[in-house]
Amino acid sequence: MKRLVVAVIGLLLALPVMAMSVVFLNPGKSDEAFWLISARAMQQAAKSLDVQLEVLFAERQPLRTLELARGIIARPVNERPEYVIITNDYATGPALLRLFDATGIKVFMAYSGISEAADRVALGLPRERFKNWLGSLEPHAEDAGYLTAKKLIETGRKSGAVGADGKLHLMVIGGDRSTPTSIRRNAGMHRAISEAPDVVLDQEVFAGWTREKAAEQSVWLYQRYPGTRLIWAGNDLMAFGAMDSWEKRGGKAGVDAWFSGVNTSREALESVKSGRLSALAGGHFIAGAWSLVLIHDYHHGRDFVDEGLELEQPMFALFTPKLADRFLVKYGDMRFDQVDFRRFSKTLNPALKRYDFSFEQLLR
Amino acid sequence: MTISRCKSEISVAQIFPLLSVSIWDIEPDAVQRQLDGIAEKPQIGFARLTVSTGQVFSAGDQSLAVSTSEKSFDVPSPSRVNESIGKLEIYENPRAFYRELLYSVAIALVGYGVLTFLICALVIYVLKRELEYPLRHIAQFVSALTPDRLTAPLQLPRQAGHLRDEIDLVVDGFAVLQAGVTGYISNLDELVAQRTAELETAMASIQRLSTIDSLTGCFNRRLFNERIVQELERAERYGRPVSLVFCDIDHFKQVNDTYGHLLGDQVLQAVAGVFERYLRHEVDWVARYGGEEFVIVLPETALAEALTTGERLRKAIENDLQIAAEESLQVTASFGVAQHRPGEIAEQLIHDADLLLYQAKAAGRNRVFPVL
């Protein structure tokens, strides 16, 4: 009995000094640039904020995500994390929320939140039906589509890439039809086109985010629309796929056809620098790191409820060759050692009144 | 072959919207899947799709493309009218014709088999309903038939309004049989009742014979022994007096020896006649106790009154007794009278009266003892 009391007191004393534990259920592949850099940024944030972070990759298999979640739940209670960061990629969010409900593990959604009306009806708002669902932080995904499309159209205008009808023709290779991120990026692209009366959208296809399928589809598109010179892609890989098949036909990207993409892969940034890629938006990988900052502050008594529970914030930076160069210099090796995430924490900086989620502040 | 061609056209037309969309959306995997789906149809041997942007897809057995006839379709654009986005060539599968023939024959055989089975089932059903069930019912009825339930009618649960048939004849036959047996049994009952009445009469006669002395009409000694016990019990219970008179005809042996037994019998009958006349009807009673001995029971009678009765009887025998054949014959009798004392049993009372009779005899006969 005496020993038990001592053990309990010891445990209670140890609690405050024990780092808070977080698991990130990463939906992407462990060798996929975006999800890898997301994890790296989060690891640095965790290091800065003294958070114990574990990243599990689902390798783009939605069922694997659920398996990983079950694995976490199956752990002994004292080995379970206090927080888990999930995404709603492949619409796994509702299932994950239900899995973690009643386990006592607090859930935060990053990168993609709940947007489907049916899900909203079933799930409600954070901290309502699912008490441990703290909230979500999403990059304002529409920005990516809007910024790149606008830049691509500007480039087209400057280059005079008009078709026989005197208009700028544009083809779109989207990611998929269902992911909210994809839908929003395309929506941003559509908004930019609707603001440009001299632009005709020839066709929109979906290449499942992959370089290979984009390359294959673009072959058909080039044959179907021989006069089209502007190709907007939902991410960098698909832009490269379209570029590959264009160059295979003897074309030259950035010279006789212009491409846009999203994400801060080294190849994309280099292509911006070299001019092959005319427009690139990225930096939203930082959403994971920002999520850790929010959870850290929540854990230490500073709830983010005053900024909103479901945050959709501008994060994307449009990369000029200069910004691309700066990124490559600072983070080209996917290292964020020099970033001290403590300066973004409200608990560690009581003077900080509102969070700034933009990525550009990390390029200054 | 026209049927199969017709079918293949329908299936291709149905698949067009999906195929069009897959081509238009540039989903090569989906295009290939749908082409495979077309080639999987039994009538189709080989399918080839040439997209207007140059890509070629094929599915099925390519060797058929040379040997059999082809049919070609333009794949329409899903969005723009009258614009083709590809050409689909379909080659028939000759094996499908034979397969279809075999299939048709098999279907027909199975159909006839099912029909035959259904008809047999119907026949079995009708036989069961019309024969087996009624017969089983009749068998159950017969096995449950007992004498007391003989009149229960046999009723079969058959549909009202059915035609009269042999089953109904059997049911009617049972009704006739039941009526016959019931009639016979009731006759038997009447006969038994008659015989029972005769038996009761005979029994009563036997009863009477067994309690009455046939010569004198008095009760016999056996009945006396039974009845005296009851008489004394009743007297004890209600605290009433009862007296017993022992009577013996004087010199009866001499009468018998002198005049013969026949006359002796007449004397006994005459004495019994005196008792009949001089005693209270339905109250007093007399039993022939031995040869010329009578015992007279006088309920509700104390000793004094009993002595009076005894005296009256003595006088009546002495004076009124007439024997037709022998007018000169003088008959007298001696009497011993005793009143029952509480707690006294029948044997003692008889002994008392007998003792007094003896004393009366000893005192010279033709008298009543005791003398008060």
Side-chain angles (χ1 to χ4, degrees):
Chain A
M1 189 63 195
K2 203 172 171 184
R3 243 185 300 176
L4 188 72
V5 170
V6 169
V8 168
I9 290 169
L11 205 67
L12 288 172
L13 288 174
L15 268 179
V17 297
M18 272 168 66
M20 56 181 275
S21 56
V22 181
V23 168
F24 174 43
L25 279 180
N26 189 326
K29 296 183 177 179
S30 48
D31 59 355
E32 193 176 344
F34 174 78
W35 289 111
L36 190 56
I37 198 169
S38 293
R40 291 280 173 82
M42 285 175 82
Q43 272 151 357
Q44 175 58 25
K47 201 171 142 196
S48 307
L49 298 166
D50 193 23
V51 170
Q52 191 191 321
L53 177 71
E54 186 184 355
V55 181
L56 302 173
F57 287 89
E59 307 293 339
R60 281 209 174 271
Q61 298 165 32
L63 290 177
R64 177 105 184 97
T65 311
L66 299 179
E67 274 169 31
L68 290 172
R70 287 195 194 95
I72 292 168
I73 293 162
R75 289 179 190 177
V77 176
N78 57 355
E79 287 174 31
R80 283 185 195 164
E82 290 156 278
Y83 299 87
V84 62
I85 298 176
I86 64 170
T87 75
N88 193 25
D89 281 40
Y90 304 104
T92 52
L96 289 169
L97 279 180
R98 289 192 184 98
L99 276 176
F100 284 114
D101 191 33
T103 60
I105 300 171
K106 291 189 163 60
V107 181
F108 190 86
M109 254 187 228
Y111 295 99
S112 47
I114 297 301
S115 55
E116 293 281 324
D119 290 342
R120 176 62 68 197
V121 169
L123 304 173
L125 295 169
R127 307 185 189 181
E128 279 184 358
R129 209 164 308 160
F130 293 88
K131 296 270 182 279
N132 290 326
W133 173 23
L134 296 180
S136 61
L137 174 63
E138 293 179 79
H140 195 254
E142 205 208 6
D143 291 351
Y146 181 77
L147 292 171
T148 51
K150 208 170 163 63
K151 179 79 197 307
L152 184 66
I153 291 165
E154 274 169 26
T155 312
R157 282 193 192 126
K158 260 184 239 163
S159 317
V162 291
D165 56 357
K167 295 203 167 189
L168 287 166
H169 284 255
L170 186 140
M171 298 188 296
V172 167
I173 302 176
D176 59 63
R177 291 175 195 272
S178 56
T179 310
T181 305
S182 178
I183 293 165
R184 288 185 201 158
R185 281 185 196 175
N186 282 35
M189 172 271 295
H190 279 290
R191 182 157 67 90
I193 290 172
S194 69
E195 286 173 6
D198 56 332
V199 175
V200 175
L201 172 58
D202 284 332
Q203 198 183 340
E204 201 173 339
V205 296
F206 296 90
W209 307 108
T210 67
R211 186 169 188 152
E212 295 72 25
K213 192 161 179 196
E216 187 176 19
Q217 285 181 327
S218 61
V219 171
W220 295 46
L221 288 172
Y222 297 144
Q223 284 164 331
R224 210 176 267 174
Y225 307 102
T228 302
R229 291 290 179 269
L230 302 179
I231 297 96
W232 181 94
N235 72 356
D236 51 344
L237 288 172
M238 294 189 292
F240 286 127
M243 254 184 240
D244 293 343
S245 62
W246 180 255
E247 281 163 0
K248 218 174 264 175
R249 288 167 69 89
K252 203 161 166 23
V255 177
D256 47 15
W258 294 268
F259 299 82
S260 81
V262 178
N263 282 343
T264 47
S265 66
R266 172 171 280 277
E267 189 182 5
L269 292 160
E270 298 278 12
S271 297
V272 170
K273 275 176 71 180
S274 70
R276 277 179 83 219
L277 197 57
S278 304
L280 178 73
H284 61 300
F285 64 82
I286 204 67
W290 292 150
S291 297
L292 274 177
V293 172
L294 290 183
I295 295 170
H296 169 270
D297 285 359
Y298 172 89
H299 188 76
H300 292 91
R302 188 71 201 272
D303 197 345
F304 51 89
V305 66
D306 54 336
E307 303 223 7
L309 291 179
E310 289 179 294
L311 298 162
E312 192 179 348
Q313 294 290 330
M315 291 181 202
F316 284 97
L318 186 67
F319 283 91
T320 58
K322 196 177 152 193
L323 277 180
D325 186 52
R326 196 173 295 164
F327 184 97
L328 286 169
V329 169
K330 281 171 94 87
Y331 313 119
D333 50 0
M334 287 198 192
R335 292 182 70 90
F336 295 87
D337 296 355
Q338 49 178 305
V339 183
D340 183 3
F341 282 91
R342 278 182 299 186
R343 65 184 164 103
F344 304 111
S345 158
K346 281 181 183 175
T347 49
L348 300 173
N349 305 280
L352 188 61
K353 292 301 170 215
R354 293 193 71 78
Y355 293 113
D356 178 2
F357 296 100
S358 76
F359 178 69
E360 271 195 58
Q361 62 186 314
L362 296 184
L363 290 173
R364 279 180 210 127
Chain B
M1 276 314 229
T2 50
I3 296 167
S4 61
R5 178 160 297 163
C6 214
K7 274 187 185 165
S8 72
E9 276 174 26
I10 290 164
S11 62
V12 170
Q14 280 167 342
I15 210 158
F16 266 158
L18 271 176
L19 191 61
S20 293
V21 169
S22 301
I23 295 169
W24 184 252
D25 286 349
I26 316 179
E27 297 287 349
D29 294 347
V31 171
Q32 186 61 52
R33 271 202 304 279
Q34 278 155 46
L35 209 61
D36 291 343
I38 292 172
E40 261 173 29
K41 298 196 180 302
Q43 302 89 346
I44 296 167
F46 178 63
R48 179 162 50 207
L49 173 74
T50 311
V51 186
S52 50
T53 47
Q55 292 79 8
V56 177
F57 295 83
S58 65
D61 182 359
Q62 187 142 18
S63 64
L64 293 170
V66 198
S67 56
T68 60
S69 60
E70 71 152 89
K71 194 153 170 60
S72 155
F73 306 86
D74 279 330
V75 181
S77 158
S79 51
R80 295 178 217 178
V81 188
N82 291 334
E83 192 185 301
S84 164
I85 55 170
K87 197 178 79 170
L88 179 65
E89 294 158 286
I90 301 285
Y91 297 87
E92 277 175 4
N93 182 2
R95 283 186 295 262
F97 172 76
Y98 300 105
R99 211 180 304 156
E100 198 157 301
L101 193 69
L102 204 66
Y103 188 68
S104 306
V105 169
I107 286 283
L109 283 176
V110 169
Y112 282 123
V114 169
L115 189 68
T116 310
F117 173 77
L118 287 179
I119 288 171
C120 287
L122 187 68
V123 168
I124 288 169
Y125 170 73
V126 169
L127 281 179
K128 269 186 180 288
R129 202 186 66 173
E130 295 299 319
L131 278 179
E132 191 190 325
Y133 295 144
L135 285 178
R136 186 178 299 163
H137 205 86
I138 290 170
Q140 281 168 355
F141 174 79
V142 170
S143 64
L145 210 56
T146 53
D148 54 318
R149 292 190 55 219
L150 198 59
T151 51
L154 169 57
Q155 278 172 332
L156 293 186
R158 305 186 80 190
Q159 281 172 342
H162 69 276
L163 290 171
R164 271 189 71 78
D165 54 19
E166 285 69 14
I167 297 292
D168 294 304
L169 290 179
V170 171
V171 172
D172 293 350
F174 263 101
V176 171
L177 182 67
Q178 281 175 269
V181 173
T182 309
Y184 176 75
I185 288 176
S186 62
N187 254 351
L188 216 59
D189 287 347
E190 268 174 39
L191 214 62
V192 168
Q194 198 184 321
R195 291 282 186 276
T196 308
E198 285 170 11
L199 198 64
E200 275 168 3
T201 312
M203 286 295 284
S205 169
I206 288 166
Q207 175 76 23
R208 198 162 45 77
L209 286 173
S210 70
T211 59
I212 299 292
D213 176 52
S214 55
L215 181 67
T216 61
C218 296
F219 291 123
N220 61 18
R221 186 171 173 169
R222 193 176 70 81
L223 184 104
F224 169 81
N225 288 338
E226 282 176 21
R227 193 161 168 183
I228 189 62
V229 175
Q230 294 166 11
E231 199 72 68
L232 296 186
E233 275 178 7
R234 187 157 58 236
E236 289 267 344
R237 196 176 324 129
Y238 298 110
R240 307 301 302 174
V242 60
S243 296
L244 192 103
V245 180
F246 236 109
C247 166
D248 190 271
I249 298 166
D250 298 330
H251 304 297
F252 186 72
K253 196 173 168 358
Q254 287 174 18
V255 174
N256 257 350
D257 294 345
T258 315
Y259 301 99
H261 283 288
L262 202 61
L263 194 91
D265 287 352
Q266 281 179 9
V267 168
L268 288 171
Q269 282 171 340
V271 170
V274 168
F275 293 156
E276 176 77 29
R277 280 200 300 280
Y278 285 82
L279 287 174
R280 292 172 298 179
H281 199 63
E282 297 286 324
V283 179
D284 304 330
W285 53 280
V286 184
R288 189 178 169 199
Y289 200 73
E292 72 280 21
E293 269 182 335
F294 292 92
V295 60
I296 301 155
V297 180
L298 303 172
E300 304 292 328
T301 308
L303 182 63
E305 202 184 333
L307 285 170
T308 311
T309 302
E311 185 58 26
R312 196 165 65 234
L313 292 174
R314 188 195 62 77
K315 277 182 181 160
I317 290 167
E318 185 179 21
N319 303 323
D320 295 351
L321 202 75
Q322 291 284 316
I323 304 298
E326 206 61 56
E327 284 183 15
S328 59
L329 183 66
Q330 176 64 49
V331 178
T332 60
S334 302
F335 294 83
V337 181
Q339 184 183 349
H340 171 248
R341 293 189 296 270
E344 192 179 38
I345 61 165
E347 280 78 14
Q348 281 175 326
L349 182 60
I350 293 163
H351 181 73
D352 289 351
D354 195 27
L355 203 65
L356 287 163
L357 173 64
Y358 178 77
Q359 288 173 7
K361 290 262 184 197
R365 296 191 172 83
N366 192 22
R367 59 197 69 214
V368 178
F369 255 75
V371 179
L372 295 179

